[in-house]
Amino acid sequence: MSIYNTQTLKIYNSLSGEKETFTPINEGSIGMYVCGPTVYSNVHLGNLRTFMSFDVIFRYFIHLGYKVRYVRNITDVGHIVDDVDEGEDKIAKKARLEQLEPMEVVQRYTVDFHEILKAFNFLPPSIEPTATGHIIEQIEIIKKIIDSGIGYEANGSVYFDVVKFNKTNHYGRLSGRNIEDMLANTRDLDGQSDKRNPQDFALWKKAEPQHIMRWPSPWSDGFPGWHLECTAMSTKYLGNHFDIHGGGMDLKFPHHECEIAQNEACTGQTPVNYWMHANMLTLNGKKMAKSTGNNILPREILTGKNSILSKAFPASVARFFMLQAHYRSILDFSDEAIVAAEKGYKRLMEAIDSLGQIKTSSSSSLDIASWKQLCYDAMNDDFNTPILIAQLFEGVRFINLLKDNKETINAVDLKTLSTTMTSFVFNVLGLENQKAADSSNDKLEGTINMLIGMRNKARADKDFAMSDHIRDQLLALGIQLKDSKEGTSFSI
């Protein structure tokens, strides 16, 4: 049942710098685009936090009853090292260093990305397009920008004339920058002589002879500019004008600024109503960096194989920890902080598990309806998950009082309390009950070990047909048996 008409949602719009009442372009439907990963390495914790923020936003829209088309891309070409126009493609560089085909790199890290997001209980987007799958669309957009007089070709590459565009538009309004200041503070760099202005950015780059990833175009064999990819994929699936565009704070300039400029030059209209940006994540009070060792990968949180944390933590505990901060706030990750979060997470799950123990009365001494609306008010205030979590712990307090018979509740209010708690905890925040998951895992492990025992007996009885059958049936379910001198183990 749709309830979006009963709630007033406000979103902080990076374009205006203010919270604005959310009104979708088409009633009941939302188009949302979020910049996805560049798949040249394992997804890092900061990326995970950004994608988690938009996963919760996606979940809340669904909870309110909206029909959502959520597009999150995969950047598999064209993202240059250090995010400039000159240099080596990040994926091509990784392929060269590891002596792999670029698409091997793309496949390896796309699979890793999906595995991590699944482990952290993300909903998949509605559409997950790749940059390499939309080369034709990007070429067509470049043609339109050239026809508008804003794009120009130079030695096989095509650039966007920022100064000319700025005469009739405001380049820099999303990031609060002024083109004159940018030009004054930019020095000409070697290799940028093809550009009319230092601030111009590439729409298409001519590939050097050694460059592996290349496609034919009217201008040269080459590859698209990084900014153009998102313009092509967002407009293809959401139209020239859509509701929400999101990403990390670090993408505001130049990436999102360039997206706006490309859209306006191509279509004559601003592409997005609400721009949303998630803030950074630090580790032990410092910026995360592989070079300093102040770094941890999401998978290392789950396995405990790291030098940062005292033990392994379940994905839902890490998720709960991250959602205790507002998506626009800087969040500091540390062992002490996640240990504290685990205690809060367990309290929350214990309370939910004990809902069935509460006895009903003919009347209620608790105002459950007002509390329920406070939960919505938190999410309606720019998706304020820390305030929502505070309200959920107020629900935990209610549950404990009711268990101890210190308050009373009727059947209708108990159903409201139970439904609100479970809906916000599991459906909106995307948490999972780890205790139930652990119990399920224990049962699965016990079942597999029983089958291994049956297989061992079949092998001892020289019934190799049965032994092979058990092994093959488990493999078909994604469970691989490994025989060694120590015995038989399994992996899933």
Side-chain angles (χ1 to χ4, degrees):
M1 184 181 73
S2 298
I3 58 171
Y4 55 81
N5 285 328
T6 68
Q7 305 295 326
T8 300
L9 172 62
K10 292 201 168 185
I11 294 176
Y12 182 85
N13 191 346
S14 298
L15 198 59
S16 66
E18 296 177 352
K19 289 180 186 177
E20 300 176 4
T21 300
F22 176 68
T23 305
I25 295 167
N26 299 303
E27 186 179 349
S29 297
I30 294 171
M32 180 169 77
Y33 184 89
V34 173
C35 293
T38 302
V39 282
Y40 70 100
S41 64
N42 300 105
V43 60
H44 64 71
L45 203 58
N47 290 144
L48 185 76
R49 187 205 178 187
T50 294
F51 299 134
M52 189 180 294
S53 298
F54 288 101
D55 180 63
V56 171
I57 289 165
F58 180 37
R59 285 171 174 274
Y60 188 57
F61 281 140
I62 292 171
H63 175 76
L64 292 177
Y66 283 106
K67 181 182 179 182
V68 188
R69 177 175 286 179
Y70 174 24
V71 183
R72 187 187 65 217
N73 74 296
I74 296 285
T75 297
D76 55 355
V77 68
H79 195 155
I80 303 299
V81 176
D82 296 327
D83 299 338
V84 296
D85 285 335
E86 308 301 327
E88 192 167 10
D89 184 298
K90 290 184 177 182
I91 292 163
K93 181 179 180 181
K94 187 78 168 186
R96 178 176 57 78
L97 291 173
E98 298 194 8
Q99 295 185 311
L100 297 170
E101 279 287 332
M103 283 300 132
E104 285 184 87
V105 173
V106 166
Q107 178 69 7
R108 174 188 297 176
Y109 293 114
T110 300
V111 168
D112 175 77
F113 175 67
H114 288 149
E115 286 177 348
I116 290 297
L117 264 57
K118 184 177 180 181
F120 281 83
N121 197 33
F122 282 53
L123 296 178
S126 315
I127 303 172
E128 192 174 54
T130 63
T132 56
H134 296 78
I135 300 294
I136 292 172
E137 289 85 349
Q138 292 172 72
I139 289 172
E140 290 305 308
I141 290 173
I142 294 170
K143 288 178 182 177
K144 290 179 182 177
I145 294 174
I146 291 173
D147 289 343
S148 74
I150 301 297
Y152 62 92
E153 188 266 339
N155 295 324
S157 293
V158 181
Y159 296 98
F160 188 99
D161 192 328
V162 170
V163 172
K164 189 172 183 180
F165 171 79
N166 196 63
K167 289 177 179 177
T168 54
N169 298 270
H170 181 186
Y171 179 81
R173 71 179 183 275
L174 177 66
S175 56
R177 300 183 185 217
N178 181 286
I179 186 67
E180 288 76 17
D181 293 340
M182 284 190 272
L183 289 169
N185 293 325
T186 305
R187 59 186 175 87
D188 284 313
L189 300 175
D190 291 339
Q192 289 190 327
S193 56
D194 287 343
K195 295 183 180 183
R196 293 176 181 169
N197 314 289
Q199 289 296 327
D200 293 354
F201 57 89
L203 300 171
W204 186 266
K205 287 293 292 179
K206 181 181 179 180
E208 298 300 324
Q210 70 273 17
H211 199 98
I212 304 171
M213 303 179 82
R214 58 172 67 219
W215 290 264
S217 80
W219 313 285
S220 64
D221 278 5
F223 53 94
W226 168 40
H227 313 302
L228 186 70
E229 298 168 1
C230 286
T231 294
M233 290 182 280
S234 62
T235 55
K236 180 177 175 69
Y237 298 108
L238 300 175
N240 292 334
H241 185 208
F242 55 95
D243 296 296
I244 295 170
H245 193 315
M249 196 78 76
D250 56 321
L251 297 179
K252 190 182 288 188
F253 185 87
H255 186 51
H256 291 159
E257 202 74 75
C258 294
E259 278 193 66
I260 293 173
Q262 287 166 164
N263 273 278
E264 292 183 350
C266 185
T267 67
Q269 60 179 312
T270 189
V272 178
N273 282 355
Y274 304 88
W275 284 90
M276 301 181 67
H277 293 92
N279 215 325
M280 311 295 282
L281 186 145
T282 57
L283 181 59
N284 291 323
K286 299 176 183 176
K287 184 179 179 181
M288 283 196 290
K290 289 182 183 177
S291 57
T292 62
N294 194 51
N295 185 60
I296 187 170
L297 294 173
R299 196 183 300 278
E300 293 172 339
I301 297 172
L302 310 183
T303 63
K305 295 178 180 178
N306 62 81
S307 59
I308 305 290
L309 303 178
S310 55
K311 62 170 187 169
F313 291 90
S316 268
V317 170
R319 186 177 177 111
F320 178 71
F321 162 74
M322 291 193 193
L323 296 177
Q324 286 181 307
H326 190 266
Y327 78 90
R328 287 192 289 113
S329 301
I330 292 174
L331 171 64
D332 187 54
F333 186 86
S334 68
D335 184 61
E336 183 182 358
I338 196 170
V339 166
E342 185 175 42
K343 292 175 183 175
Y345 165 82
K346 286 180 177 178
R347 278 182 57 214
L348 191 58
M349 294 304 156
E350 285 166 3
I352 289 173
D353 287 341
S354 64
L355 276 165
Q357 301 170 22
I358 295 173
K359 296 175 182 177
T360 57
S361 174
S362 58
S363 62
S364 294
S365 58
L366 296 168
D367 188 353
I368 299 298
S370 295
W371 165 79
K372 175 184 175 181
Q373 186 55 47
L374 288 172
C375 291
Y376 280 99
D377 290 347
M379 288 302 287
N380 291 340
D381 183 17
D382 193 31
F383 311 100
N384 201 322
T385 55
I387 300 298
L388 170 63
I389 289 171
Q391 291 301 334
L392 291 173
F393 276 105
E394 181 68 0
V396 169
R397 189 177 72 85
F398 289 167
I399 292 167
N400 291 333
L401 288 169
L402 292 164
K403 274 170 53 186
D404 295 339
N405 297 315
K406 293 179 179 177
E407 298 285 357
T408 59
I409 193 167
N410 62 35
V412 173
D413 281 351
L414 178 58
K415 185 178 180 181
T416 300
L417 173 63
S418 179
T419 302
T420 303
M421 287 291 291
T422 55
S423 293
F424 277 103
V425 169
F426 300 125
N427 298 339
V428 176
L429 294 181
L431 301 176
E432 294 180 293
N433 193 329
Q434 195 62 44
K435 182 179 176 183
D438 289 344
S439 173
S440 176
N441 289 338
D442 289 344
K443 290 175 183 177
L444 175 62
E445 186 173 346
T447 303
I448 295 170
N449 284 329
M450 181 185 71
L451 289 167
I452 288 173
M454 292 170 62
R455 178 172 175 263
N456 288 341
K457 185 177 186 306
R459 293 170 76 186
D461 294 341
K462 295 188 172 9
D463 186 355
F464 297 115
M466 177 56 71
S467 168
D468 291 346
H469 178 70
I470 293 171
R471 180 198 64 207
D472 295 342
Q473 289 294 102
L474 286 171
L475 187 61
L477 294 170
I479 302 165
Q480 185 174 10
L481 300 185
K482 298 174 183 177
D483 296 317
S484 67
K485 292 178 182 178
E486 289 77 30
T488 303
S489 61
F490 69 90
S491 61
I492 299 177

